[in-house]
Amino acid sequence: MAKSILKLQLPTDPRWVNIAEMNIEEILVDHAYCEQKAATSAISLIVKYPDKTKLVEEMTTLVAEEWSHFERVLEELKKRGYALGRNRADDYVVQLSQHIRKGGLRERQLMDHLLVNALVEARSCERFKLLWKNIQDEGLQKFYYELMVSEAAHYVGFVKLAKEYMPKEVVDARLQELLEIEANIIANLEPRPDRMH
Protein backbone atom coordinates (compact mmCIF):
# COMPACT_ATOMS: atom_id res chain seq x y z
CA MET A 1 0.00 0.00 0.00
CA ALA A 2 2.74 2.49 0.97
CA LYS A 3 4.16 2.69 -2.56
CA SER A 4 1.10 2.03 -4.76
CA ILE A 5 -1.64 4.20 -3.24
CA LEU A 6 0.19 6.49 -0.85
CA LYS A 7 3.39 6.96 -2.88
CA LEU A 8 5.47 7.37 0.30
CA GLN A 9 9.16 7.27 -0.60
CA LEU A 10 10.47 5.84 2.66
CA PRO A 11 8.87 3.16 4.85
CA THR A 12 8.64 3.59 8.60
CA ASP A 13 11.57 2.21 10.58
CA PRO A 14 10.42 -1.31 11.63
CA ARG A 15 11.63 -0.60 15.18
CA TRP A 16 8.72 1.83 15.54
CA VAL A 17 6.11 -0.93 15.94
CA ASN A 18 8.05 -2.58 18.75
CA ILE A 19 8.52 0.76 20.49
CA ALA A 20 4.82 1.59 19.99
CA GLU A 21 3.60 -1.72 21.39
CA MET A 22 5.72 -1.32 24.52
CA ASN A 23 4.33 2.20 25.01
CA ILE A 24 0.72 1.79 23.93
CA GLU A 25 -0.61 4.31 26.47
CA GLU A 26 1.69 7.05 25.10
CA ILE A 27 0.90 6.09 21.50
CA LEU A 28 -2.86 6.21 22.14
CA VAL A 29 -2.56 9.60 23.85
CA ASP A 30 -0.53 11.01 20.97
CA HIS A 31 -2.93 9.42 18.48
CA ALA A 32 -5.88 11.12 20.20
CA TYR A 33 -4.21 14.50 19.82
CA CYS A 34 -3.35 13.74 16.16
CA GLU A 35 -7.06 13.18 15.46
CA GLN A 36 -7.95 16.38 17.30
CA LYS A 37 -5.34 18.34 15.31
CA ALA A 38 -6.63 16.84 12.03
CA ALA A 39 -10.13 18.12 12.87
CA THR A 40 -8.71 21.54 13.81
CA SER A 41 -6.72 21.70 10.57
CA ALA A 42 -9.87 21.03 8.53
CA ILE A 43 -11.73 23.76 10.47
CA SER A 44 -8.85 26.18 9.76
CA LEU A 45 -9.17 25.51 6.02
CA ILE A 46 -12.90 26.30 6.17
CA VAL A 47 -12.17 29.56 8.04
CA LYS A 48 -9.39 30.56 5.63
CA TYR A 49 -11.17 29.61 2.38
CA PRO A 50 -14.93 30.05 3.02
CA ASP A 51 -15.49 30.96 -0.65
CA LYS A 52 -14.35 27.50 -1.85
CA THR A 53 -17.69 25.67 -1.70
CA LYS A 54 -16.42 22.16 -2.46
CA LEU A 55 -13.61 22.57 0.08
CA VAL A 56 -16.07 23.73 2.77
CA GLU A 57 -18.38 20.75 2.09
CA GLU A 58 -15.58 18.18 2.16
CA MET A 59 -13.80 19.66 5.18
CA THR A 60 -17.11 19.76 7.11
CA THR A 61 -17.48 16.00 6.57
CA LEU A 62 -13.82 15.47 7.45
CA VAL A 63 -14.12 17.42 10.73
CA ALA A 64 -16.96 15.10 11.80
CA GLU A 65 -14.94 12.00 10.86
CA GLU A 66 -11.75 13.11 12.59
CA TRP A 67 -13.67 14.11 15.72
CA SER A 68 -15.34 10.71 15.75
CA HIS A 69 -11.86 9.11 15.52
CA PHE A 70 -10.78 11.28 18.47
CA GLU A 71 -13.75 9.97 20.47
CA ARG A 72 -12.89 6.40 19.51
CA VAL A 73 -9.29 6.80 20.67
CA LEU A 74 -10.59 8.23 23.96
CA GLU A 75 -12.72 5.07 24.32
CA GLU A 76 -9.65 2.87 23.78
CA LEU A 77 -7.78 4.86 26.45
CA LYS A 78 -10.70 4.55 28.87
CA LYS A 79 -11.02 0.77 28.28
CA ARG A 80 -7.42 0.37 29.37
CA GLY A 81 -7.70 2.65 32.39
CA TYR A 82 -5.62 5.43 30.81
CA ALA A 83 -6.28 9.19 30.86
CA LEU A 84 -5.85 11.55 27.91
CA GLY A 85 -2.70 13.11 29.31
CA ARG A 86 -0.91 16.15 27.98
CA ASN A 87 -0.64 17.34 24.42
CA ARG A 88 2.81 17.14 22.81
CA ALA A 89 4.41 18.82 19.82
CA ASP A 90 4.38 16.83 16.59
CA ASP A 91 7.85 17.51 15.14
CA TYR A 92 6.94 15.65 11.96
CA VAL A 93 3.92 17.84 11.19
CA VAL A 94 5.75 21.01 12.28
CA GLN A 95 8.64 20.28 9.87
CA LEU A 96 6.33 19.31 7.00
CA SER A 97 4.16 22.42 7.50
CA GLN A 98 7.21 24.65 7.10
CA HIS A 99 7.06 23.77 3.39
CA ILE A 100 3.66 25.43 2.89
CA ARG A 101 4.69 28.41 0.76
CA LYS A 102 3.70 31.92 1.81
CA GLY A 103 2.60 34.61 -0.62
CA GLY A 104 1.82 34.14 -4.28
CA LEU A 105 -1.47 32.79 -5.56
CA ARG A 106 -4.04 32.04 -2.86
CA GLU A 107 -4.84 28.80 -4.69
CA ARG A 108 -1.17 27.80 -4.57
CA GLN A 109 -1.13 28.21 -0.79
CA LEU A 110 -4.34 26.19 -0.59
CA MET A 111 -2.78 23.44 -2.72
CA ASP A 112 0.23 23.27 -0.39
CA HIS A 113 -2.03 23.08 2.69
CA LEU A 114 -4.07 20.28 1.11
CA LEU A 115 -1.01 18.31 0.01
CA VAL A 116 0.70 18.60 3.41
CA ASN A 117 -2.53 17.34 5.01
CA ALA A 118 -2.59 14.53 2.45
CA LEU A 119 0.93 13.43 3.41
CA VAL A 120 0.14 13.48 7.13
CA GLU A 121 -2.85 11.22 6.40
CA ALA A 122 -0.67 8.97 4.21
CA ARG A 123 1.97 8.53 6.94
CA SER A 124 -0.72 7.90 9.57
CA CYS A 125 -2.28 5.31 7.26
CA GLU A 126 1.06 3.57 6.83
CA ARG A 127 1.62 3.52 10.62
CA PHE A 128 -1.90 2.20 11.25
CA LYS A 129 -1.22 -0.60 8.77
CA LEU A 130 1.92 -1.54 10.70
CA LEU A 131 0.01 -1.57 13.98
CA TRP A 132 -2.85 -3.60 12.46
CA LYS A 133 -0.46 -6.23 11.09
CA ASN A 134 1.93 -6.44 14.03
CA ILE A 135 0.30 -5.49 17.32
CA GLN A 136 -0.77 -8.34 19.63
CA ASP A 137 -3.89 -6.64 21.07
CA GLU A 138 -6.79 -7.98 18.92
CA GLY A 139 -9.11 -5.09 19.77
CA LEU A 140 -6.53 -2.59 18.61
CA GLN A 141 -5.79 -4.65 15.48
CA LYS A 142 -9.41 -4.19 14.32
CA PHE A 143 -9.42 -0.53 15.40
CA TYR A 144 -6.26 0.28 13.45
CA TYR A 145 -7.44 -1.63 10.37
CA GLU A 146 -10.57 0.54 10.23
CA LEU A 147 -8.56 3.74 10.71
CA MET A 148 -6.02 2.67 8.07
CA VAL A 149 -8.82 2.42 5.47
CA SER A 150 -10.24 5.78 6.52
CA GLU A 151 -6.87 7.59 6.38
CA ALA A 152 -6.16 6.21 2.90
CA ALA A 153 -9.48 7.70 1.73
CA HIS A 154 -8.57 11.04 3.36
CA TYR A 155 -5.21 11.08 1.56
CA VAL A 156 -6.88 10.47 -1.81
CA GLY A 157 -9.54 13.10 -0.99
CA PHE A 158 -7.00 15.83 -0.17
CA VAL A 159 -5.04 15.24 -3.40
CA LYS A 160 -8.24 15.21 -5.45
CA LEU A 161 -9.41 18.43 -3.81
CA ALA A 162 -6.09 20.14 -4.61
CA LYS A 163 -6.79 19.33 -8.28
CA GLU A 164 -10.09 21.22 -8.04
CA TYR A 165 -8.18 24.46 -7.48
CA MET A 166 -4.91 24.01 -9.37
CA PRO A 167 -4.05 22.20 -12.65
CA LYS A 168 -3.43 18.46 -12.29
CA GLU A 169 0.16 18.66 -13.57
CA VAL A 170 1.00 21.43 -11.07
CA VAL A 171 -0.48 19.39 -8.20
CA ASP A 172 1.31 16.20 -9.30
CA ALA A 173 4.67 18.01 -9.55
CA ARG A 174 4.25 19.66 -6.13
CA LEU A 175 3.14 16.38 -4.57
CA GLN A 176 6.31 14.74 -5.86
CA GLU A 177 8.44 17.51 -4.33
CA LEU A 178 6.65 17.19 -0.99
CA LEU A 179 6.96 13.39 -1.02
CA GLU A 180 10.73 13.79 -1.27
CA ILE A 181 10.73 16.38 1.53
CA GLU A 182 8.57 14.07 3.66
CA ALA A 183 10.96 11.13 3.12
CA ASN A 184 13.86 13.31 4.21
CA ILE A 185 12.01 14.37 7.38
CA ILE A 186 11.21 10.72 8.22
CA ALA A 187 14.83 9.68 7.57
CA ASN A 188 16.04 12.22 10.12
CA LEU A 189 13.43 11.71 12.85
CA GLU A 190 14.36 9.31 15.63
CA PRO A 191 11.55 6.78 16.30
CA ARG A 192 10.00 7.83 19.62
CA PRO A 193 8.01 5.83 22.16
CA ASP A 194 5.42 8.57 22.63
CA ARG A 195 4.60 9.65 19.05
CA MET A 196 2.41 8.39 16.22
CA HIS A 197 4.72 10.12 13.72
PDB file of all heavy atoms in Angstrom, residues 40-66:
ATOM      1  N   THR A  40      -9.005  20.101  13.712  1.00  0.00           N
ATOM      2  CA  THR A  40      -8.709  21.537  13.807  1.00  0.00           C
ATOM      3  C   THR A  40      -8.158  22.076  12.490  1.00  0.00           C
ATOM      4  O   THR A  40      -8.512  23.181  12.053  1.00  0.00           O
ATOM      5  CB  THR A  40      -7.684  21.787  14.940  1.00  0.00           C
ATOM      6  OG1 THR A  40      -8.204  21.239  16.139  1.00  0.00           O
ATOM      7  CG2 THR A  40      -7.415  23.254  15.143  1.00  0.00           C
ATOM      8  N   SER A  41      -7.300  21.299  11.847  1.00  0.00           N
ATOM      9  CA  SER A  41      -6.716  21.705  10.571  1.00  0.00           C
ATOM     10  C   SER A  41      -7.803  21.868   9.508  1.00  0.00           C
ATOM     11  O   SER A  41      -7.790  22.830   8.724  1.00  0.00           O
ATOM     12  CB  SER A  41      -5.688  20.660  10.136  1.00  0.00           C
ATOM     13  OG  SER A  41      -5.155  20.997   8.883  1.00  0.00           O
ATOM     14  N   ALA A  42      -8.759  20.950   9.494  1.00  0.00           N
ATOM     15  CA  ALA A  42      -9.868  21.032   8.531  1.00  0.00           C
ATOM     16  C   ALA A  42     -10.726  22.259   8.815  1.00  0.00           C
ATOM     17  O   ALA A  42     -11.155  22.970   7.886  1.00  0.00           O
ATOM     18  CB  ALA A  42     -10.708  19.755   8.580  1.00  0.00           C
ATOM     19  N   ILE A  43     -10.965  22.565  10.098  1.00  0.00           N
ATOM     20  CA  ILE A  43     -11.730  23.765  10.468  1.00  0.00           C
ATOM     21  C   ILE A  43     -10.984  25.019   9.996  1.00  0.00           C
ATOM     22  O   ILE A  43     -11.580  25.949   9.450  1.00  0.00           O
ATOM     23  CB  ILE A  43     -11.983  23.812  11.992  1.00  0.00           C
ATOM     24  CG1 ILE A  43     -12.957  22.696  12.400  1.00  0.00           C
ATOM     25  CG2 ILE A  43     -12.518  25.184  12.414  1.00  0.00           C
ATOM     26  CD1 ILE A  43     -13.065  22.464  13.899  1.00  0.00           C
ATOM     27  N   SER A  44      -9.660  25.028  10.180  1.00  0.00           N
ATOM     28  CA  SER A  44      -8.847  26.183   9.757  1.00  0.00           C
ATOM     29  C   SER A  44      -8.977  26.433   8.253  1.00  0.00           C
ATOM     30  O   SER A  44      -9.014  27.589   7.812  1.00  0.00           O
ATOM     31  CB  SER A  44      -7.374  25.948  10.071  1.00  0.00           C
ATOM     32  OG  SER A  44      -7.196  25.864  11.455  1.00  0.00           O
ATOM     33  N   LEU A  45      -9.023  25.355   7.475  1.00  0.00           N
ATOM     34  CA  LEU A  45      -9.173  25.510   6.019  1.00  0.00           C
ATOM     35  C   LEU A  45     -10.529  26.124   5.676  1.00  0.00           C
ATOM     36  O   LEU A  45     -10.631  26.971   4.779  1.00  0.00           O
ATOM     37  CB  LEU A  45      -8.992  24.158   5.319  1.00  0.00           C
ATOM     38  CG  LEU A  45      -7.549  23.658   5.214  1.00  0.00           C
ATOM     39  CD1 LEU A  45      -7.508  22.204   4.768  1.00  0.00           C
ATOM     40  CD2 LEU A  45      -6.718  24.518   4.256  1.00  0.00           C
ATOM     41  N   ILE A  46     -11.565  25.728   6.404  1.00  0.00           N
ATOM     42  CA  ILE A  46     -12.903  26.304   6.172  1.00  0.00           C
ATOM     43  C   ILE A  46     -12.876  27.804   6.488  1.00  0.00           C
ATOM     44  O   ILE A  46     -13.401  28.619   5.738  1.00  0.00           O
ATOM     45  CB  ILE A  46     -13.966  25.599   7.047  1.00  0.00           C
ATOM     46  CG1 ILE A  46     -14.148  24.133   6.604  1.00  0.00           C
ATOM     47  CG2 ILE A  46     -15.307  26.346   6.995  1.00  0.00           C
ATOM     48  CD1 ILE A  46     -14.972  23.273   7.549  1.00  0.00           C
ATOM     49  N   VAL A  47     -12.246  28.154   7.614  1.00  0.00           N
ATOM     50  CA  VAL A  47     -12.174  29.556   8.040  1.00  0.00           C
ATOM     51  C   VAL A  47     -11.378  30.393   7.043  1.00  0.00           C
ATOM     52  O   VAL A  47     -11.747  31.515   6.708  1.00  0.00           O
ATOM     53  CB  VAL A  47     -11.560  29.658   9.465  1.00  0.00           C
ATOM     54  CG1 VAL A  47     -11.274  31.099   9.846  1.00  0.00           C
ATOM     55  CG2 VAL A  47     -12.473  29.002  10.491  1.00  0.00           C
ATOM     56  N   LYS A  48     -10.285  29.820   6.537  1.00  0.00           N
ATOM     57  CA  LYS A  48      -9.389  30.556   5.633  1.00  0.00           C
ATOM     58  C   LYS A  48      -9.930  30.661   4.204  1.00  0.00           C
ATOM     59  O   LYS A  48      -9.666  31.629   3.503  1.00  0.00           O
ATOM     60  CB  LYS A  48      -8.021  29.867   5.619  1.00  0.00           C
ATOM     61  CG  LYS A  48      -6.929  30.747   5.044  1.00  0.00           C
ATOM     62  CD  LYS A  48      -5.544  30.212   5.353  1.00  0.00           C
ATOM     63  CE  LYS A  48      -4.494  31.153   4.820  1.00  0.00           C
ATOM     64  NZ  LYS A  48      -3.138  30.657   4.980  1.00  0.00           N
ATOM     65  N   TYR A  49     -10.689  29.631   3.777  1.00  0.00           N
ATOM     66  CA  TYR A  49     -11.169  29.613   2.382  1.00  0.00           C
ATOM     67  C   TYR A  49     -12.694  29.392   2.333  1.00  0.00           C
ATOM     68  O   TYR A  49     -13.167  28.430   1.709  1.00  0.00           O
ATOM     69  CB  TYR A  49     -10.461  28.497   1.603  1.00  0.00           C
ATOM     70  CG  TYR A  49      -8.956  28.645   1.569  1.00  0.00           C
ATOM     71  CD1 TYR A  49      -8.147  27.960   2.480  1.00  0.00           C
ATOM     72  CD2 TYR A  49      -8.330  29.482   0.633  1.00  0.00           C
ATOM     73  CE1 TYR A  49      -6.760  28.100   2.456  1.00  0.00           C
ATOM     74  CE2 TYR A  49      -6.953  29.624   0.601  1.00  0.00           C
ATOM     75  CZ  TYR A  49      -6.174  28.936   1.518  1.00  0.00           C
ATOM     76  OH  TYR A  49      -4.797  29.072   1.500  1.00  0.00           O
ATOM     77  N   PRO A  50     -13.481  30.268   2.974  1.00  0.00           N
ATOM     78  CA  PRO A  50     -14.934  30.048   3.020  1.00  0.00           C
ATOM     79  C   PRO A  50     -15.615  30.155   1.660  1.00  0.00           C
ATOM     80  O   PRO A  50     -16.739  29.670   1.470  1.00  0.00           O
ATOM     81  CB  PRO A  50     -15.424  31.159   3.966  1.00  0.00           C
ATOM     82  CG  PRO A  50     -14.388  32.227   3.876  1.00  0.00           C
ATOM     83  CD  PRO A  50     -13.084  31.520   3.646  1.00  0.00           C
ATOM     84  N   ASP A  51     -14.933  30.778   0.693  1.00  0.00           N
ATOM     85  CA  ASP A  51     -15.495  30.962  -0.649  1.00  0.00           C
ATOM     86  C   ASP A  51     -15.357  29.705  -1.519  1.00  0.00           C
ATOM     87  O   ASP A  51     -15.939  29.624  -2.589  1.00  0.00           O
ATOM     88  CB  ASP A  51     -14.791  32.132  -1.348  1.00  0.00           C
ATOM     89  CG  ASP A  51     -13.263  31.984  -1.333  1.00  0.00           C
ATOM     90  OD1 ASP A  51     -12.706  31.655  -0.263  1.00  0.00           O
ATOM     91  OD2 ASP A  51     -12.631  32.192  -2.389  1.00  0.00           O
ATOM     92  N   LYS A  52     -14.568  28.723  -1.067  1.00  0.00           N
ATOM     93  CA  LYS A  52     -14.355  27.499  -1.854  1.00  0.00           C
ATOM     94  C   LYS A  52     -15.404  26.463  -1.423  1.00  0.00           C
ATOM     95  O   LYS A  52     -15.212  25.710  -0.459  1.00  0.00           O
ATOM     96  CB  LYS A  52     -12.940  26.937  -1.634  1.00  0.00           C
ATOM     97  CG  LYS A  52     -11.818  27.966  -1.796  1.00  0.00           C
ATOM     98  CD  LYS A  52     -11.607  28.331  -3.241  1.00  0.00           C
ATOM     99  CE  LYS A  52     -10.376  29.200  -3.429  1.00  0.00           C
ATOM    100  NZ  LYS A  52     -10.354  29.855  -4.735  1.00  0.00           N
ATOM    101  N   THR A  53     -16.523  26.455  -2.123  1.00  0.00           N
ATOM    102  CA  THR A  53     -17.693  25.667  -1.704  1.00  0.00           C
ATOM    103  C   THR A  53     -17.386  24.182  -1.546  1.00  0.00           C
ATOM    104  O   THR A  53     -17.741  23.568  -0.538  1.00  0.00           O
ATOM    105  CB  THR A  53     -18.846  25.860  -2.723  1.00  0.00           C
ATOM    106  OG1 THR A  53     -19.072  27.265  -2.845  1.00  0.00           O
ATOM    107  CG2 THR A  53     -20.114  25.184  -2.252  1.00  0.00           C
ATOM    108  N   LYS A  54     -16.712  23.601  -2.534  1.00  0.00           N
ATOM    109  CA  LYS A  54     -16.418  22.163  -2.459  1.00  0.00           C
ATOM    110  C   LYS A  54     -15.496  21.864  -1.270  1.00  0.00           C
ATOM    111  O   LYS A  54     -15.685  20.880  -0.559  1.00  0.00           O
ATOM    112  CB  LYS A  54     -15.787  21.681  -3.769  1.00  0.00           C
ATOM    113  CG  LYS A  54     -15.677  20.153  -3.838  1.00  0.00           C
ATOM    114  CD  LYS A  54     -15.361  19.699  -5.236  1.00  0.00           C
ATOM    115  CE  LYS A  54     -15.246  18.194  -5.352  1.00  0.00           C
ATOM    116  NZ  LYS A  54     -16.464  17.476  -4.997  1.00  0.00           N
ATOM    117  N   LEU A  55     -14.511  22.718  -1.062  1.00  0.00           N
ATOM    118  CA  LEU A  55     -13.608  22.574   0.079  1.00  0.00           C
ATOM    119  C   LEU A  55     -14.395  22.604   1.391  1.00  0.00           C
ATOM    120  O   LEU A  55     -14.197  21.743   2.253  1.00  0.00           O
ATOM    121  CB  LEU A  55     -12.578  23.701   0.066  1.00  0.00           C
ATOM    122  CG  LEU A  55     -11.652  23.761   1.290  1.00  0.00           C
ATOM    123  CD1 LEU A  55     -10.449  22.847   1.109  1.00  0.00           C
ATOM    124  CD2 LEU A  55     -11.188  25.173   1.569  1.00  0.00           C
ATOM    125  N   VAL A  56     -15.277  23.590   1.538  1.00  0.00           N
ATOM    126  CA  VAL A  56     -16.069  23.730   2.768  1.00  0.00           C
ATOM    127  C   VAL A  56     -16.896  22.474   3.011  1.00  0.00           C
ATOM    128  O   VAL A  56     -16.920  21.931   4.129  1.00  0.00           O
ATOM    129  CB  VAL A  56     -16.970  24.998   2.716  1.00  0.00           C
ATOM    130  CG1 VAL A  56     -17.946  25.020   3.884  1.00  0.00           C
ATOM    131  CG2 VAL A  56     -16.107  26.254   2.713  1.00  0.00           C
ATOM    132  N   GLU A  57     -17.548  21.972   1.962  1.00  0.00           N
ATOM    133  CA  GLU A  57     -18.375  20.753   2.095  1.00  0.00           C
ATOM    134  C   GLU A  57     -17.527  19.563   2.543  1.00  0.00           C
ATOM    135  O   GLU A  57     -17.878  18.850   3.479  1.00  0.00           O
ATOM    136  CB  GLU A  57     -19.044  20.419   0.752  1.00  0.00           C
ATOM    137  CG  GLU A  57     -20.191  21.332   0.402  1.00  0.00           C
ATOM    138  CD  GLU A  57     -20.692  21.121  -1.027  1.00  0.00           C
ATOM    139  OE1 GLU A  57     -20.195  20.195  -1.719  1.00  0.00           O
ATOM    140  OE2 GLU A  57     -21.577  21.886  -1.452  1.00  0.00           O
ATOM    141  N   GLU A  58     -16.398  19.357   1.859  1.00  0.00           N
ATOM    142  CA  GLU A  58     -15.579  18.181   2.160  1.00  0.00           C
ATOM    143  C   GLU A  58     -14.897  18.284   3.516  1.00  0.00           C
ATOM    144  O   GLU A  58     -14.781  17.296   4.241  1.00  0.00           O
ATOM    145  CB  GLU A  58     -14.565  17.940   1.036  1.00  0.00           C
ATOM    146  CG  GLU A  58     -15.274  17.606  -0.255  1.00  0.00           C
ATOM    147  CD  GLU A  58     -14.433  16.853  -1.253  1.00  0.00           C
ATOM    148  OE1 GLU A  58     -13.334  16.387  -0.907  1.00  0.00           O
ATOM    149  OE2 GLU A  58     -14.885  16.735  -2.398  1.00  0.00           O
ATOM    150  N   MET A  59     -14.452  19.491   3.876  1.00  0.00           N
ATOM    151  CA  MET A  59     -13.805  19.662   5.182  1.00  0.00           C
ATOM    152  C   MET A  59     -14.812  19.521   6.321  1.00  0.00           C
ATOM    153  O   MET A  59     -14.475  19.038   7.395  1.00  0.00           O
ATOM    154  CB  MET A  59     -13.099  21.015   5.267  1.00  0.00           C
ATOM    155  CG  MET A  59     -11.854  21.128   4.383  1.00  0.00           C
ATOM    156  SD  MET A  59     -10.582  19.854   4.717  1.00  0.00           S
ATOM    157  CE  MET A  59     -10.871  18.692   3.373  1.00  0.00           C
ATOM    158  N   THR A  60     -16.067  19.912   6.083  1.00  0.00           N
ATOM    159  CA  THR A  60     -17.113  19.755   7.106  1.00  0.00           C
ATOM    160  C   THR A  60     -17.313  18.273   7.420  1.00  0.00           C
ATOM    161  O   THR A  60     -17.373  17.867   8.588  1.00  0.00           O
ATOM    162  CB  THR A  60     -18.437  20.396   6.622  1.00  0.00           C
ATOM    163  OG1 THR A  60     -18.188  21.786   6.367  1.00  0.00           O
ATOM    164  CG2 THR A  60     -19.526  20.276   7.668  1.00  0.00           C
ATOM    165  N   THR A  61     -17.360  17.458   6.377  1.00  0.00           N
ATOM    166  CA  THR A  61     -17.480  16.003   6.568  1.00  0.00           C
ATOM    167  C   THR A  61     -16.246  15.458   7.277  1.00  0.00           C
ATOM    168  O   THR A  61     -16.345  14.626   8.182  1.00  0.00           O
ATOM    169  CB  THR A  61     -17.641  15.305   5.187  1.00  0.00           C
ATOM    170  OG1 THR A  61     -18.784  15.853   4.547  1.00  0.00           O
ATOM    171  CG2 THR A  61     -17.814  13.809   5.338  1.00  0.00           C
ATOM    172  N   LEU A  62     -15.082  15.949   6.864  1.00  0.00           N
ATOM    173  CA  LEU A  62     -13.821  15.473   7.451  1.00  0.00           C
ATOM    174  C   LEU A  62     -13.729  15.812   8.937  1.00  0.00           C
ATOM    175  O   LEU A  62     -13.291  14.988   9.739  1.00  0.00           O
ATOM    176  CB  LEU A  62     -12.627  16.076   6.699  1.00  0.00           C
ATOM    177  CG  LEU A  62     -11.272  15.466   7.077  1.00  0.00           C
ATOM    178  CD1 LEU A  62     -11.089  14.100   6.439  1.00  0.00           C
ATOM    179  CD2 LEU A  62     -10.136  16.379   6.672  1.00  0.00           C
ATOM    180  N   VAL A  63     -14.150  17.014   9.309  1.00  0.00           N
ATOM    181  CA  VAL A  63     -14.124  17.415  10.730  1.00  0.00           C
ATOM    182  C   VAL A  63     -14.920  16.404  11.560  1.00  0.00           C
ATOM    183  O   VAL A  63     -14.456  15.938  12.606  1.00  0.00           O
ATOM    184  CB  VAL A  63     -14.709  18.844  10.931  1.00  0.00           C
ATOM    185  CG1 VAL A  63     -14.907  19.148  12.414  1.00  0.00           C
ATOM    186  CG2 VAL A  63     -13.796  19.892  10.312  1.00  0.00           C
ATOM    187  N   ALA A  64     -16.105  16.061  11.076  1.00  0.00           N
ATOM    188  CA  ALA A  64     -16.959  15.104  11.799  1.00  0.00           C
ATOM    189  C   ALA A  64     -16.267  13.742  11.924  1.00  0.00           C
ATOM    190  O   ALA A  64     -16.288  13.117  12.991  1.00  0.00           O
ATOM    191  CB  ALA A  64     -18.302  14.961  11.089  1.00  0.00           C
ATOM    192  N   GLU A  65     -15.633  13.298  10.836  1.00  0.00           N
ATOM    193  CA  GLU A  65     -14.940  11.995  10.863  1.00  0.00           C
ATOM    194  C   GLU A  65     -13.758  12.003  11.822  1.00  0.00           C
ATOM    195  O   GLU A  65     -13.584  11.073  12.614  1.00  0.00           O
ATOM    196  CB  GLU A  65     -14.434  11.645   9.457  1.00  0.00           C
ATOM    197  CG  GLU A  65     -15.482  11.011   8.587  1.00  0.00           C
ATOM    198  CD  GLU A  65     -14.895  10.612   7.244  1.00  0.00           C
ATOM    199  OE1 GLU A  65     -13.768  10.075   7.183  1.00  0.00           O
ATOM    200  OE2 GLU A  65     -15.580  10.846   6.231  1.00  0.00           O
ATOM    201  N   GLU A  66     -12.939  13.051  11.738  1.00  0.00           N
ATOM    202  CA  GLU A  66     -11.751  13.113  12.589  1.00  0.00           C
ATOM    203  C   GLU A  66     -12.153  13.225  14.062  1.00  0.00           C
ATOM    204  O   GLU A  66     -11.515  12.634  14.932  1.00  0.00           O
ATOM    205  CB  GLU A  66     -10.847  14.294  12.192  1.00  0.00           C
ATOM    206  CG  GLU A  66     -10.319  14.247  10.766  1.00  0.00           C
ATOM    207  CD  GLU A  66      -9.262  13.176  10.510  1.00  0.00           C
ATOM    208  OE1 GLU A  66      -9.127  12.219  11.289  1.00  0.00           O
ATOM    209  OE2 GLU A  66      -8.566  13.285   9.486  1.00  0.00           O
TER     210      GLU A  66
END
